[in-house]
Coordinates of all heavy atoms in Angstrom, one line a residue:
R139 N 12.9 -26.1 -37.2 CA 12.6 -27.4 -37.8 C 13.9 -28.2 -37.9 O 15.0 -27.6 -38.0 CB 12.0 -27.3 -39.2 CG 10.6 -26.7 -39.1 CD 9.9 -26.9 -40.4 NE 8.6 -26.3 -40.2 CZ 7.5 -27.0 -40.1 NH1 7.5 -28.2 -40.2 NH2 6.3 -26.3 -40.0
G140 N 13.9 -29.4 -37.9 CA 15.0 -30.3 -38.1 C 14.6 -31.7 -37.9 O 13.5 -32.1 -37.9
Q141 N 15.6 -32.5 -37.6 CA 15.4 -33.9 -37.4 C 14.6 -34.1 -36.1 O 14.8 -33.4 -35.1 CB 16.7 -34.7 -37.2 CG 17.4 -34.9 -38.5 CD 18.6 -35.8 -38.3 OE1 19.2 -35.8 -37.3 NE2 18.9 -36.6 -39.3
P142 N 13.6 -35.0 -36.1 CA 12.9 -35.2 -34.8 C 13.8 -36.0 -33.9 O 14.7 -36.7 -34.3 CB 11.7 -36.1 -35.3 CG 12.1 -36.7 -36.6 CD 13.1 -35.7 -37.2
R143 N 13.6 -35.7 -32.6 CA 14.5 -36.3 -31.6 C 14.1 -37.8 -31.5 O 13.0 -38.2 -31.5 CB 14.2 -35.7 -30.3 CG 14.7 -34.2 -30.2 CD 14.5 -33.7 -28.8 NE 15.0 -32.4 -28.7 CZ 14.6 -31.5 -27.9 NH1 13.6 -31.8 -27.1 NH2 15.1 -30.3 -27.8
K144 N 15.1 -38.6 -31.3 CA 14.9 -40.0 -31.1 C 14.5 -40.3 -29.7 O 13.8 -41.3 -29.4 CB 16.2 -40.8 -31.5 CG 16.6 -40.8 -32.9 CD 17.8 -41.5 -33.2 CE 18.2 -41.5 -34.7 NZ 19.4 -42.2 -35.0
F145 N 15.1 -39.5 -28.7 CA 14.8 -39.7 -27.3 C 14.5 -38.3 -26.7 O 15.0 -37.3 -27.1 CB 16.0 -40.3 -26.6 CG 16.5 -41.6 -27.2 CD1 17.6 -41.6 -28.1 CD2 15.8 -42.7 -27.0 CE1 18.0 -42.8 -28.7 CE2 16.2 -43.9 -27.5 CZ 17.3 -43.9 -28.4
S146 N 13.6 -38.3 -25.7 CA 13.2 -37.1 -25.0 C 14.3 -36.7 -24.1 O 15.1 -37.6 -23.7 CB 11.9 -37.3 -24.3 OG 12.1 -38.1 -23.1
P147 N 14.4 -35.4 -23.7 CA 15.4 -35.0 -22.7 C 15.3 -35.8 -21.4 O 16.3 -36.1 -20.8 CB 15.1 -33.6 -22.5 CG 14.5 -33.1 -23.8 CD 13.7 -34.3 -24.3
A148 N 14.1 -36.1 -21.0 CA 13.9 -36.9 -19.8 C 14.5 -38.3 -19.9 O 15.1 -38.8 -18.9 CB 12.4 -37.0 -19.4
Q149 N 14.3 -38.9 -21.0 CA 14.9 -40.2 -21.3 C 16.4 -40.2 -21.2 O 17.1 -41.0 -20.6 CB 14.5 -40.8 -22.6 CG 13.0 -41.3 -22.6 CD 12.6 -41.7 -24.0 OE1 12.9 -41.0 -25.0 NE2 12.0 -42.9 -24.1
L150 N 17.0 -39.2 -21.8 CA 18.4 -39.0 -21.8 C 18.9 -38.7 -20.4 O 20.0 -39.2 -20.0 CB 18.9 -37.9 -22.8 CG 18.6 -38.3 -24.3 CD1 18.9 -37.1 -25.1 CD2 19.5 -39.5 -24.7
Y151 N 18.2 -37.9 -19.6 CA 18.5 -37.6 -18.3 C 18.5 -38.8 -17.4 O 19.5 -39.1 -16.6 CB 17.6 -36.5 -17.7 CG 17.8 -36.1 -16.3 CD1 18.8 -35.2 -16.0 CD2 17.1 -36.6 -15.2 CE1 19.1 -34.8 -14.7 CE2 17.3 -36.3 -13.9 CZ 18.3 -35.4 -13.6 OH 18.6 -35.0 -12.3
R152 N 17.5 -39.6 -17.5 CA 17.4 -40.9 -16.8 C 18.5 -41.8 -17.2 O 19.1 -42.5 -16.3 CB 16.0 -41.5 -17.0 CG 14.9 -40.8 -16.3 CD 13.5 -41.4 -16.7 NE 12.5 -40.9 -15.9 CZ 12.0 -41.5 -14.8 NH1 12.6 -42.7 -14.4 NH2 11.0 -41.0 -14.1
T153 N 18.8 -41.9 -18.4 CA 19.9 -42.8 -18.9 C 21.2 -42.3 -18.3 O 22.0 -43.1 -17.9 CB 19.9 -42.9 -20.4 OG1 18.7 -43.2 -20.9 CG2 21.0 -43.9 -20.9
S154 N 21.4 -41.0 -18.3 CA 22.6 -40.5 -17.7 C 22.7 -40.8 -16.2 O 23.8 -41.0 -15.7 CB 22.7 -38.9 -17.9 OG 22.7 -38.6 -19.3
L155 N 21.6 -40.7 -15.5 CA 21.6 -41.1 -14.1 C 22.0 -42.5 -13.8 O 22.5 -42.8 -12.8 CB 20.2 -40.8 -13.5 CG 19.8 -39.4 -13.1 CD1 18.4 -39.4 -12.5 CD2 20.8 -38.9 -12.1
L156 N 21.7 -43.4 -14.8 CA 22.1 -44.8 -14.6 C 23.6 -44.9 -14.5 O 24.1 -45.9 -13.8 CB 21.6 -45.6 -15.8 CG 20.1 -45.9 -15.8 CD1 19.7 -46.6 -17.1 CD2 19.7 -46.8 -14.6
A157 N 24.4 -44.0 -15.0 CA 25.8 -44.1 -14.8 C 26.2 -43.8 -13.4 O 27.3 -44.2 -12.9 CB 26.5 -43.1 -15.8
L158 N 25.4 -43.1 -12.7 CA 25.6 -42.9 -11.2 C 25.0 -43.9 -10.3 O 25.5 -44.2 -9.2 CB 25.0 -41.5 -10.9 CG 25.6 -40.3 -11.6 CD1 24.8 -39.1 -11.3 CD2 27.1 -40.1 -11.3
L159 N 23.9 -44.5 -10.8 CA 23.1 -45.4 -9.9 C 23.4 -46.8 -10.1 O 22.9 -47.7 -9.4 CB 21.6 -45.2 -10.2 CG 21.1 -43.8 -9.8 CD1 19.6 -43.6 -10.3 CD2 21.2 -43.5 -8.4
T160 N 24.2 -47.2 -11.1 CA 24.6 -48.6 -11.4 C 26.1 -48.7 -11.3 O 26.8 -47.7 -11.4 CB 24.0 -49.0 -12.7 OG1 24.7 -48.2 -13.7 CG2 22.5 -48.8 -12.8
P161 N 26.5 -50.0 -11.4 CA 28.0 -50.2 -11.4 C 28.6 -49.8 -12.8 O 29.9 -49.7 -12.8 CB 28.1 -51.7 -11.2 CG 26.9 -52.1 -10.6 CD 25.8 -51.2 -11.1
A162 N 27.9 -49.5 -13.8 CA 28.4 -49.0 -15.1 C 28.6 -47.5 -15.0 O 27.7 -46.7 -15.2 CB 27.4 -49.3 -16.2
H163 N 29.9 -47.1 -14.7 CA 30.2 -45.7 -14.4 C 30.7 -45.0 -15.6 O 31.1 -43.8 -15.5 CB 31.2 -45.6 -13.3 CG 30.7 -46.1 -12.0 ND1 29.5 -45.6 -11.4 CD2 31.1 -47.1 -11.2 CE1 29.3 -46.2 -10.3 NE2 30.2 -47.2 -10.1
S164 N 30.6 -45.6 -16.8 CA 31.0 -44.8 -18.0 C 29.8 -45.0 -19.0 O 29.1 -46.0 -19.0 CB 32.3 -45.3 -18.6 OG 32.1 -46.6 -19.2
F165 N 29.7 -44.0 -19.9 CA 28.6 -44.1 -20.9 C 28.8 -45.3 -21.8 O 27.9 -45.9 -22.2 CB 28.5 -42.8 -21.6 CG 27.9 -41.7 -20.8 CD1 28.2 -40.4 -21.1 CD2 27.0 -41.9 -19.8 CE1 27.6 -39.3 -20.4 CE2 26.4 -40.9 -19.1 CZ 26.8 -39.6 -19.4
N166 N 30.1 -45.6 -22.2 CA 30.3 -46.7 -23.1 C 29.9 -48.0 -22.5 O 29.3 -48.8 -23.1 CB 31.8 -46.7 -23.5 CG 32.2 -45.6 -24.4 OD1 31.4 -45.1 -25.2 ND2 33.4 -45.1 -24.3
L167 N 30.3 -48.2 -21.2 CA 29.9 -49.4 -20.5 C 28.4 -49.5 -20.3 O 27.8 -50.6 -20.5 CB 30.6 -49.6 -19.2 CG 30.4 -50.8 -18.4 CD1 30.7 -52.1 -19.2 CD2 31.1 -50.8 -17.1
L168 N 27.8 -48.4 -20.0 CA 26.3 -48.3 -19.8 C 25.6 -48.7 -21.1 O 24.7 -49.5 -21.0 CB 25.9 -46.9 -19.4 CG 24.4 -46.7 -19.1 CD1 23.9 -47.5 -18.0 CD2 24.2 -45.2 -18.9
V169 N 26.0 -48.2 -22.2 CA 25.4 -48.5 -23.5 C 25.6 -49.9 -23.8 O 24.7 -50.6 -24.4 CB 25.9 -47.5 -24.6 CG1 25.5 -48.0 -26.0 CG2 25.5 -46.1 -24.3
A170 N 26.7 -50.5 -23.5 CA 26.9 -51.9 -23.8 C 26.1 -52.8 -22.9 O 25.6 -53.9 -23.4 CB 28.4 -52.3 -23.6
L171 N 25.8 -52.4 -21.7 CA 25.0 -53.3 -20.8 C 23.5 -53.0 -20.8 O 22.7 -53.8 -20.3 CB 25.5 -53.1 -19.3 CG 27.0 -53.5 -19.0 CD1 27.3 -53.2 -17.6 CD2 27.1 -55.0 -19.3
L172 N 23.1 -51.9 -21.4 CA 21.7 -51.5 -21.3 C 20.8 -52.5 -22.0 O 19.7 -52.8 -21.5 CB 21.6 -50.1 -22.0 CG 20.4 -49.2 -21.5 CD1 20.3 -49.2 -20.0 CD2 20.6 -47.9 -22.1
P173 N 21.1 -53.1 -23.2 CA 20.2 -54.0 -23.8 C 19.8 -55.3 -22.9 O 18.7 -55.8 -23.0 CB 20.9 -54.4 -25.1 CG 21.8 -53.3 -25.4 CD 22.2 -52.8 -24.1
E174 N 20.8 -55.7 -22.1 CA 20.5 -56.9 -21.3 C 19.9 -56.6 -19.9 O 19.4 -57.5 -19.3 CB 21.9 -57.6 -21.0 CG 22.4 -58.4 -22.2 CD 23.0 -57.5 -23.2 OE1 23.7 -56.5 -22.8 OE2 22.9 -57.8 -24.4
N175 N 19.8 -55.3 -19.5 CA 19.2 -55.0 -18.2 C 17.8 -54.3 -18.4 O 17.7 -53.1 -18.6 CB 20.1 -54.1 -17.5 CG 21.3 -54.8 -17.0 OD1 21.2 -55.7 -16.2 ND2 22.5 -54.4 -17.5
K176 N 16.8 -55.1 -18.3 CA 15.4 -54.6 -18.5 C 15.0 -53.6 -17.5 O 14.4 -52.6 -17.8 CB 14.4 -55.8 -18.5 CG 13.0 -55.4 -18.8 CD 12.1 -56.6 -18.8 CE 10.7 -56.1 -19.2 NZ 9.8 -57.2 -19.4
S177 N 15.5 -53.8 -16.2 CA 15.1 -52.8 -15.2 C 15.8 -51.4 -15.4 O 15.2 -50.4 -15.1 CB 15.5 -53.3 -13.8 OG 16.9 -53.5 -13.7
W178 N 17.0 -51.5 -16.0 CA 17.7 -50.2 -16.3 C 16.9 -49.5 -17.5 O 16.7 -48.3 -17.4 CB 19.1 -50.4 -16.8 CG 20.0 -51.0 -15.7 CD1 19.7 -51.4 -14.4 CD2 21.4 -51.2 -15.8 NE1 20.8 -51.8 -13.8 CE2 21.9 -51.7 -14.6 CE3 22.3 -50.9 -16.8 CZ2 23.2 -52.0 -14.3 CZ3 23.7 -51.2 -16.6 CH2 24.1 -51.7 -15.3
R179 N 16.5 -50.3 -18.5 CA 15.8 -49.7 -19.6 C 14.4 -49.1 -19.1 O 13.9 -48.1 -19.6 CB 15.6 -50.7 -20.7 CG 16.8 -51.0 -21.5 CD 16.5 -51.8 -22.8 NE 15.5 -52.8 -22.7 CZ 15.7 -54.0 -22.3 NH1 16.9 -54.4 -22.0 NH2 14.7 -54.9 -22.2
S180 N 13.8 -49.9 -18.2 CA 12.5 -49.4 -17.7 C 12.7 -48.1 -16.9 O 11.8 -47.2 -17.0 CB 11.9 -50.5 -16.8 OG 10.8 -50.1 -16.1
F181 N 13.7 -48.0 -16.1 CA 14.0 -46.8 -15.4 C 14.2 -45.6 -16.3 O 13.7 -44.5 -16.1 CB 15.2 -47.0 -14.5 CG 15.7 -45.7 -13.8 CD1 15.0 -45.3 -12.6 CD2 16.7 -44.9 -14.3 CE1 15.4 -44.1 -12.0 CE2 17.1 -43.8 -13.6 CZ 16.5 -43.4 -12.5
A182 N 14.9 -45.9 -17.4 CA 15.2 -44.8 -18.4 C 14.0 -44.6 -19.3 O 14.1 -43.7 -20.2 CB 16.4 -45.1 -19.2
R183 N 13.0 -45.4 -19.2 CA 11.8 -45.3 -20.1 C 12.1 -45.5 -21.5 O 11.6 -44.9 -22.4 CB 11.1 -43.9 -19.9 CG 10.8 -43.6 -18.4 CD 9.3 -43.7 -18.2 NE 9.0 -43.7 -16.7 CZ 8.6 -42.7 -16.0 NH1 8.4 -41.5 -16.6 NH2 8.3 -42.8 -14.8

C-alpha cells in the first residue's frame, strides 16, 4: 500500500519516448513544452 500513482508506467514510458521523437531532447525542456503541444500529450495519453 502507498500513494496511488499519478501516472501509469505506460504514460511515463510514452512521455519518455517523446524526448527521443521530438526536438525536446531533455526532460526539463519536454516538461516545459508539453502543455502547449496537444499532439504530444495525446501520444503520451
Side-chain angles (χ1 to χ4, degrees):
R139 295 196 180 249
Q141 285 185 328
R143 292 183 177 154
K144 293 181 181 179
F145 304 99
S146 72
Q149 287 175 311
L150 293 172
Y151 180 79
R152 285 172 171 268
T153 307
S154 299
L155 277 180
L156 285 171
L158 301 172
L159 298 173
T160 64
H163 295 302
S164 72
F165 288 152
N166 288 330
L167 182 58
L168 179 66
V169 168
L171 296 176
L172 208 50
E174 283 78 35
N175 288 295
K176 186 175 182 176
S177 63
W178 294 8
R179 288 192 320 272
S180 176
F181 174 81
R183 308 253 166 99

